[in-house]
Amino acid sequence: MADVSLRNLTKAWGGFTAVRDQSLEIRDGEFMVLLGPSGCGKTTTMRMIAGLEEPTAGDILIGGQRVNDLPPRDRDIAMVFQSYGLYPHMTVEDNIGYPLKLRGIKGAERAAQVRAAAAKVELEPLLHRRPKELSGGQRQRVALARAIVRRPTVFLMDEPLSNLDAKLRVSTRAEIKHLQHELGVTTVYVTHDQIEAMTLAHRVAVMQGGEIRQLDTPEVIYDRPADLFVAGFIGSPPMNLVDGDHADGRFTAAGGFHATTGVARHGGRAVLGVRPEDVTVGPAGSGDLDASIYAVELTGDAVLVTVQAGAARIIAKADRAWRAEIGSTVALRLDASRLHLFDAASTKRLQPE
Amino acid sequence: MQDRRLKYVLILPAALLVLGTTIWPLAVSLVTSFRDWRLTRSLTPGPFIGPEHYVTALTDDPDFANALQVTASFVAIDVALTVVCALGLALLLRRAGVLHSLTRAVLILPFAVSPALVGISFRFMFNAEMGVFTWLAGAVVPWLQGYVWLADPVAALLVLVFSDAWRWVPYMTLVVLGGLSALPKEPEEAARIDCASEWQVFRDVTLPALMPVLAVVAILKTVFALKMFDQVVTLTGGGPGQSTVTLAYLVYSIAFRWYDMGYASAVAWILTAMLVFLAVWYMKLILRKPGGA
Amino acid sequence: MNGTRATAARRRKLVMKGLESAILLLALFLILFPIVWMALTAFKRPVDLFELTLLFTPTLDNFRTIFAAPWNIGAALWNSTVVAGLTVLISIPCSTLAAYAFSRFEMRFKGALFFTILATQFIPAVVVVLPFYLLFRDLGLLDTHLALVIVNLAIVTPFAVWMLKGFLDAVPTESEEAALVDGATRLRVILDIVVPMVWPGVLVTAVFCFILTWNEFLFALILTRDNAVTLPVGITRFRTERGDLWELIAAAGILISIPMFLLSSVIQRHFVRGMTGGAVK
């Protein structure tokens, strides 16, 4: 087990910079999630840690040792790939045993370790099948077993759940979390799915354009997004963002939208953010402002109400029993303690005093 | 990483093979083409004489002019015939049907036949006395009865084209079929729903989408037609007269009948220059495509 | 109104269908007839040769004759097998390694290098054979298997590199990367992971190259005389001063073609890729 540190890491191909001067300290035993949209550099970062890509500049340290010039096999890491990267011509047993075979572990010793790893992910009955005879979920387990079989110092997981169906994703997610907790191995996990990031991570690094926009615990990232990008990226449905003007702690937007922000020292163009669950709809006249209903969507556990407030459309999460006609007028009440204000020019968060 | 050197090591054997078996002889031919070297006079290369061979070939050699003209005619007819037939056949074969799948199944056969054998078989079938194609042509068109195909300069060239097309059209049909199957169906279906006739669908939707594949077919066929040699030897022997002497066959004659290595190399290099020009064009075409090659 | 229009459309459709069938039948005839005719001729006695009837007494004499002296087609069969086999055996491993490097690595001059290797397949064989003829003459290698193998490598290697790169490009790299992370060296990855995964492609390429070499004519015509004569040149020997021995040509033709028919049908689905290198799927 070891900590991983990235120091001023840059990766560029020709004119395109995938990762820009990025530094990150991953603690021993930590579950670190790199989260971002496709093309944000998260996978490139992970591949550089693995040794599958060479950094253009900067250093990678695993357990305090600089590993830039080490091939993947000398970095003592294990990786789970997006499409699992199984060896199609080998049985499950041989797939899991391959890392051991390469380390010269033979015969009964190898079989026992393979069996133990397979048991952890409930694969024992399938040991003699080939990957193409397995379901997606089973293949995923083979990849996991192959990663844990030799107790690496670092786990790397590249979108390991993205090829599973929704139901399996939820259960496997819990298994990965449990496994990481049990083994205590430093884990770097790449995903574009914010739910995975929120549920799995000790800390999340939200990335965009090759840079880390915010690095913190899931709670902080959700409650205090550092900038507009993080605010818009985290949360489903996403945070409502309204463009407007801010002066003397008061935010106003076209069409009579207004709110009190508690940020005194800022004036000018700003963006107000409020999460759907922090907006309540009620009878007209009972809230901060009245607006007409644009759409009502039932999701099962809640009702998403989209209202047209001036130029902006605001989504509110209402109780699942809530009903209203499209076009009727309702009142919106914004939870003043959970408003987010961002400077329009810098996109940075403005923290209330 | 360690791959830095390894990748060059991996390429080395193949690179050496290509260097030794192609680049080296090309270079030697080029040098020889500037020399006076007749094997009948000397076993060792003669003196350098500058571009004299090239000047002779391009300005003062009726044989070369003839071969150039024969090759040009052959290429033009052969390529046009191949592209049109392959496209037409592929369009028909795209549909389902017993006859269709039967035809699709045999398309592969002609290409597996040695070109030399194709030439000799066609010589047999166009035999003046009782070749089966001679007879068939006579049976269909009465005034062709007993026609001596291979004795007529124009007909001999056409038979040569026929023998080459027999080998290539089915193969190129497979290529076009491959291209057709890779096309998305939606645009054609959308056009049909927009009331386009089958001809309009073909002209406005299918053909433009298929152009890259047809370009590949045309250029490849041009390359192979320019190199035409095997069937010339086994089908017409260059005759009657010199009416089917292609450039490749001319090089062979100069080198191995008259043993004029210098001049043969020069003519070979003129042919090579044309092909390299086509090669560059072709490679740009296919390497430009993402995922191509 | 609608009814007549429908009838007209139906009739037109029927006519088109008939036309289509007629064209396909003609295509089938044109493709198959020369092969069938050659096959029939191979079983004919010389007296039946120019009889255009399908009714004749078949004989195996022609096959006996071509294997006997003075024709000894068996020797040409052996030469063709050895030359094609050795060419493939040398070319495929080298080409596989090169194709792998081209498929997986970025390198300086990669474009130019790949381009050069591929462009060589456009070079006319006749320009390549001149220096080799002189070289082999000086080395005393004319009319040997070795000479033919060397020049055939010139044709086969660029094709093989191109084809194999197409197959390798289609193999996802994740398994290889997994093996690298699992602790394998790059060579180990190639042997343990890549080769088993791309094995069908290697086989297809090998078969394709075997067919190319087997049917090769120009090199064999110029570089062999007696000992190393291959089948395509061998059949031209049946055109004697006494006339063309068509029944023997046909028998030898069957001998050349049958193995190639079998091989090409094995790799049918991939045959197209051979020459177009995946430019056409």
Side-chain angles (χ1 to χ4, degrees), chain A residues 51 54 70-71 73, chain B residues 1-4 7:
Chain A
E54 261 182 279
L70 293 182
R73 67 170 186 280
Chain B
M1 269 152 276
Q2 88 279 29
D3 291 346
R4 263 181 229 155
K7 56 195 180 190

Side-chain angles (χ1 to χ4, degrees), chain A residues 8 146 154 164 172 176 187 203 206 230 253 274 280 284 310:
Chain A
N8 306 100
R146 188 175 64 186
V154 180
L164 299 181
T172 313
I176 288 178
T187 302
R203 286 193 299 161
V206 185
V230 178
V274 58
T280 354

Side-chain angles (χ1 to χ4, degrees), chain A residues 34-38 42 82 159 162 169 190-196 233:
Chain A
L34 306 182
L35 172 70
S38 61
K42 57 190 191 301
Q82 184 169 10
E159 309 233 10
S162 63
R169 205 175 300 165
V190 160
T191 183
H192 64 272
D193 183 316
Q194 37 138 343
I195 309 271
E196 277 174 34
F233 192 75

Side-chain angles (χ1 to χ4, degrees), chain A residues 166-347:
Chain A
K167 201 173 155 194
L168 209 51
R169 205 175 300 165
V170 173
S171 58
T172 313
R173 201 170 69 201
E175 284 164 33
I176 288 178
K177 181 150 197 178
H178 181 84
L179 215 54
Q180 200 269 342
H181 179 80
E182 186 187 319
L183 300 173
V185 175
T186 312
T187 302
V188 184
Y189 186 107
V190 160
T191 183
H192 64 272
D193 183 316
Q194 37 138 343
I195 309 271
E196 277 174 34
M198 303 299 285
T199 51
L200 288 170
H202 294 137
R203 286 193 299 161
V204 179
V206 185
M207 294 183 64
Q208 195 222 1
E211 290 170 352
I212 295 178
R213 308 301 288 261
Q214 187 170 13
L215 170 67
D216 220 315
T217 61
E219 295 88 336
V220 173
I221 284 186
Y222 194 78
D223 291 338
R224 293 201 299 276
D227 63 14
L228 269 177
F229 171 77
V230 178
F233 192 75
I234 306 280
S236 174
M239 181 187 283
N240 296 297
L241 296 171
V242 183
D243 290 313
D245 292 298
H246 185 244
D248 306 328
R250 191 175 162 79
F251 176 88
T252 48
F257 188 100
H258 58 87
T260 309
T261 61
V263 180
R265 282 178 313 175
H266 176 270
R269 298 293 297 169
V271 179
L272 184 80
V274 58
R275 296 201 180 276
E277 62 266 33
D278 300 328
V279 183
T280 354
V281 285
S286 69
D288 296 332
L289 70 157
D290 286 352
S292 79
I293 296 181
Y294 179 80
V296 179
E297 295 157 287
L298 187 66
T299 64
D301 63 340
V303 169
L304 298 180
V305 189
T306 309
V307 297
Q308 188 80 43
R313 280 189 197 137
I314 308 279
I315 297 178
K317 208 172 201 174
D319 184 82
R320 69 194 207 195
W322 194 89
R323 294 290 183 277
E325 290 296 317
I326 290 178
S328 58
T329 302
V330 288
L332 294 183
R333 184 197 302 277
L334 312 180
D335 184 342
S337 68
R338 291 201 162 141
L339 293 181
H340 310 264
L341 190 69
F342 304 92
D343 181 68
S346 71
T347 78

Side-chain angles (χ1 to χ4, degrees), chain A residues 15 32 58 104 119 123 160 165 225-226 249 344:
Chain A
M32 170 68 73
L123 270 176
D165 62 52

